Amino acid sequence: MTQNQPAPRIRRSPEQVRAAVHQAVVDLLSDPEGEDLNIPAIAQRAGVNHTSVYRRWGSLDALLADMVTTRLERDSPLNDTGSLRGDLIAWAEASVASMHTPQGRALVRAVILSMPNGAQAQSDRAGQFRRRMRSIEQIRERAMARGEDPPPLEEILDQLIAPFYIRTIFGIDLPATGYPELLVDRLLGGSDPDPD
């Protein structure tokens, strides 16, 4: 099956349909020469009837929001490196690795395309953001349990997280090496634990 051919329609469970539709969104967003993102194109790529997609999600915005939420919920806490700096660098390195994949870039595009307008949509987006920040909060909690003094979440957002997304949104390449350490050291006060 070539990339532009629809998946064959077979009987699937609701969760299998959801996964196939989400993957179709990622595939279409990842394809620089792909067609416009719309429900008929997504349904065709997923191998489901477009009426099923409308019935389940109601709109493209709702589908994109569901896909974003599901992907963000896959984040799991990273291993404890033993220090705040190490944990933040590990988180940042994982983010850089994700942004270098078509799936990671597709997720950022989906976030942008589903920017909320109404109050309910904004509330839903705030919930997505809280899920994204859960792993950072876990890093902060581990640091406090070790007696370290982590920066507030807002500072981590502004100085560590925002640069990754801004660069991805505007198509500015993320440096291949050293960028996570640079941002984390700036965030933590510019200290260099390895001065030699």
Side-chain angles (χ1 to χ4, degrees):
M1 184 173 73
T2 65
Q3 190 171 6
N4 292 328
Q5 289 179 325
R9 288 189 179 137
I10 55 174
R11 194 163 183 81
R12 292 179 279 192
S13 72
E15 280 312 303
Q16 288 173 322
V17 169
R18 185 173 186 240
V21 169
H22 285 186
Q23 187 59 50
V25 171
V26 171
D27 291 344
L28 288 168
L29 288 174
S30 302
D31 184 356
E33 298 177 5
E35 53 197 308
D36 290 338
L37 189 69
N38 56 59
I39 286 181
I42 293 167
Q44 182 180 25
R45 178 66 64 97
V48 301
N49 194 300
H50 70 278
T51 58
S52 299
V53 178
Y54 281 113
R55 191 165 46 247
R56 178 158 187 168
W57 286 280
S59 69
L60 179 60
D61 286 349
L63 169 55
L64 290 173
D66 182 52
M67 190 275 284
V68 167
T69 300
T70 302
R71 297 279 165 149
L72 292 181
E73 284 177 341
R74 289 183 183 179
D75 285 351
S76 57
L78 297 166
N79 291 332
D80 187 345
T81 67
S83 72
L84 172 63
R85 180 179 184 272
D87 286 356
L88 289 173
I89 288 173
W91 187 93
E93 286 174 342
S95 295
V96 169
S98 173
M99 298 292 188
H100 279 128
T101 67
Q103 293 80 11
R105 290 189 295 273
L107 180 61
V108 173
R109 287 189 65 197
V111 169
I112 295 166
L113 289 171
S114 63
M115 289 301 291
N117 291 321
Q120 182 58 50
Q122 289 174 356
S123 175
D124 292 345
R125 177 53 53 86
Q128 295 167 10
F129 175 74
R130 283 192 295 274
R131 280 186 284 275
R132 183 66 176 133
M133 294 301 98
R134 187 178 299 146
S135 57
I136 292 292
E137 286 290 11
Q138 290 168 338
I139 288 173
R140 293 184 72 254
E141 289 165 7
R142 287 197 307 231
M144 288 186 281
R146 288 190 296 259
E148 295 177 279
D149 184 22
L153 180 62
E154 292 76 12
E155 285 185 24
I156 297 174
L157 170 64
D158 289 344
Q159 298 183 44
L160 179 60
I161 300 167
F164 296 130
Y165 286 92
I166 293 296
R167 280 177 170 264
T168 302
I169 289 167
F170 288 101
I172 304 169
D173 288 338
L174 289 164
T177 59
Y179 193 54
E181 292 90 341
L182 173 68
L183 293 180
V184 170
D185 286 338
R186 286 178 180 169
L187 170 67
L188 298 180
S191 59
D192 183 357
D194 301 304
D196 23 279

